[in-house]
Each structure stands twice: as C-alpha cells, then as structure tokens.
Amino acid sequence: MQMALFAYFGGAVVLSALFVVYFRNPIYSAMSLLAMFMHIAGLYVILEAEFLAGVQLLVYAGAILVLYLFVVMLLNVQSRGRFLQRQTPLVAVIGIFAAVDVIALLLHTRFYPELPAIPHPGVPTLGNSETIGMVLYTQYLFPFEIASLVLLIALVGAIVLAKGKLKYR
Amino acid sequence: MFSQSHPEHYVPIFLFLLVAVGFGAVSLTVGKLIRPKNPYKDKNAPYECGVPPINDARERFSVRYYVIAMLFLVFDVEVVFLYPWAVDFDRLGLFGLVEMMIFIFILLVGYVYAWKKEALEWD
C-alpha cells in the first residue's frame, strides 16, 4: 500500500517535472508545475507531515504558482511550437554535471539518520501541527520573528520594483 | 507511516478528489457522446462580443498583478504561521500572544507601506 502510494506520487512528481521543461508554452509548464506541487503534497502525507502537506498546497500551489503565472503574463513570453526547445551544448554539459552530482548525493546520503530527541518530552502525544507550533514558537522564536522581516522585505521590494508603474493604465 | 496510524482520516479527502475528478470526467464524456458534432470555420472562430477579434490575446499584463500576487503571497505565509500558533494558543499562553503580536506588527508595517504607496488602489 505504502509502496504503491509512493510509486504513484513519486512517479507523478518526476513525470510532471519533466513536462515542466518539456513544454514550450510557459502556461503549460506552469500547469505541470501545479501538478508537481500537488503530488509533492501527497508525498508529505505519506511521510505523515500533514502540516507540511497543507502548507505545500496553500503556499506553493496557491500563491507561488499564481506568482509564476503572473510573471509569465507580464513578460509576455511568446511560444512558437509546442515542445522542447533546442539547447546549447553548454547546457547539456551542465545538465550531465548536475545529474552526476545528484547521483553522487543519492549514493552518499544516509536516508535514515539518528533523529534528535524531541525537544519537549513532556508533551509526546501532540499532533503534527501542535508539535511544529511548540517548537517554532519556543525554541525557534528568533528565526520565526526574522521570517516576518524577510516577508516585509519581499513586500517592500515588490512595491519598489513596480513603483512608478503603479499609475500605469 | 501513514497507513499505520490513521489512513481512515484521508477517506473524506479521497472521496472529495474522486467526486471532483469524476464530475469533470462524466460531464465531458456524456456531453461528447450525446451532443451533435458539426464544426465549421465560422463556428470555430474565437467569439468576442460579435466583433471580429482585433489582435493577439497574449497581451502584456499590467505590473499591478505582480504586486497583488506578491502581497497575497506575503499574507498567505503569515496565515501559515498563524495556524500552528492558534493550535498551540493555550499551551503558549501570554508569551505566544506577545511574540505573535510582534510578528503581526512587523508585517503590519508592510501593509501600511503598501497602503500609503497606493499599491492596493486599482484605477
């Protein structure tokens, strides 16, 4: 059952990722990316990371993909033809290098490391979101507050970049 | 893993997906089976209020859409942070409330900035 689910989600992720680079129409690529995000959420569910699965759907499939689509529409990418465009030999070399890199990493990674002890042993029966919340808002308090600054920078940056063009039309 | 703990929790989600996909598939197939098929050139032409289409549909969009998407993304992530906080609200107590107020205040600065820069206006 588990193996079958993993095979389905993993296979779908690989396939939709391939379609992202395969289509020449950027909108098709974005839609393939959406399929990939959704199946990655499925992988998270198999790994019992329900909160992460929800966040994956909400943030990646919901917000980031919309951002990608808007950027595609802003840049007005014209696509001729339907599939794969020609690449320079340099890209192929870099691609092979990256593939070798990934294979080396896969061979050298220990996939079942010794996990550190849960930081709050007094509350072992908490669910997924509860545990994340307790760790995030006590132990990782500072990174959490920094995250708000990062978001603020993103917000201000977007407005500054678009400034002057906001009066457009 | 998931099949060992609570697979039954995913039955509603599975049913939901099944109904969603099934509805689309059934309506398209049934429609294809029973509708008359008689296409010709004028019928396949893109329809735009009865006027012949003037130029390409793939126009450049206004940069405002990008700003709106970015604003949405930022506050979307804020909500993601709010959710586990709300779940743990009782356990975190006043400490949690204060730290979340700081978090929201920092983002509120960005909201006010966007407001003052008229990034939310649309005219």
Side-chain angles (χ1 to χ4, degrees), chain A residues 56-75:
Chain A
Q56 170 80 17
L57 284 182
L58 203 70
V59 175
Y60 278 86
I64 292 188
L65 194 89
V66 173
L67 198 68
Y68 284 174
L69 278 176
F70 280 170
V71 168
V72 166
M73 288 169 174
L74 282 173
L75 295 177

Side-chain angles (χ1 to χ4, degrees), chain B residues 102-113:
Chain B
I102 296 170
F103 182 79
I104 291 176
F105 178 76
I106 294 171
L107 282 174
L108 204 66
V109 174
Y111 182 66
V112 171
Y113 178 78

